[in-house]
Amino acid sequence: MQQSLNPWITRPATADGAETATPEAHVPPPAVISEPLRGMVEPDAADRLGRRTVAGSAALWVTGAHGGSGESRIADLIGGARATGHCWPVLQDGSKPRVLLVCRADMRGLTAAQSALTQWASGAAPAVDLLGLAVLADAPGKTPKPLRDFAAIVGGGAPRLWTLPWVEAWRHGDSAPPPAREYQRFITDLAALASNTTPGTTH
């Protein structure tokens, strides 16, 4: 079935059994969208993420869709990852970097992520291997339903979506990986995807 040109309206169903793996057999979620889509209209220049030529290498580049997105915190959790300073990374050697987009679960963060994903999907962003979007909780407690629903819509425009809970210990300077199951699976997913030697694939 051909991919919809408007990924924020509908999200294709995952393959049977894709979300039923046991913890022992856990694998990263499959990509919903693996590359920019024909027909997507690029966002206004004011809504686009900048691009930055980065020196050195990384297994994964973590790009915040906005200030305060948590990109540095997430980069610290994943071995071999580096934050990009809220810009699409451009590698000096011309190769395609693996990128994780991150945002907060408030309206500002989700709107910024949607603009960044629109930029990527329209082909207006630099050539990157976008692994997906991580949405970090912006406050303790349960995220309000309208924001959860909007996060699901925005995440439908990314290859993969991870929603991550609030970590109170981070307020107090604790840098240890959080024990929450969502973070453990997220770290496992990104480690597997970042070590994949074939960009754009999921296995």
Side-chain angles (χ1 to χ4, degrees), residues 34 122 138 149:
S34 60
S122 69
D138 66 314
D149 291 346

Side-chain angles (χ1 to χ4, degrees), residues 144-154:
K145 186 177 186 301
L147 290 176
R148 294 200 311 272
D149 291 346
F150 187 40
I153 291 171
V154 172

Side-chain angles (χ1 to χ4, degrees), residues 100-148:
L100 172 71
L101 190 68
V102 298
C103 74
R104 289 289 176 178
D106 56 10
M107 186 58 68
R108 170 178 172 263
L110 292 169
T111 301
Q114 189 175 40
S115 293
L117 288 170
T118 303
Q119 182 183 5
W120 170 75
S122 69
V128 300
D129 180 17
L130 183 63
L131 299 185
L133 171 68
V135 179
L136 282 66
D138 66 314
K142 192 173 183 179
T143 301
K145 186 177 186 301
L147 290 176
R148 294 200 311 272

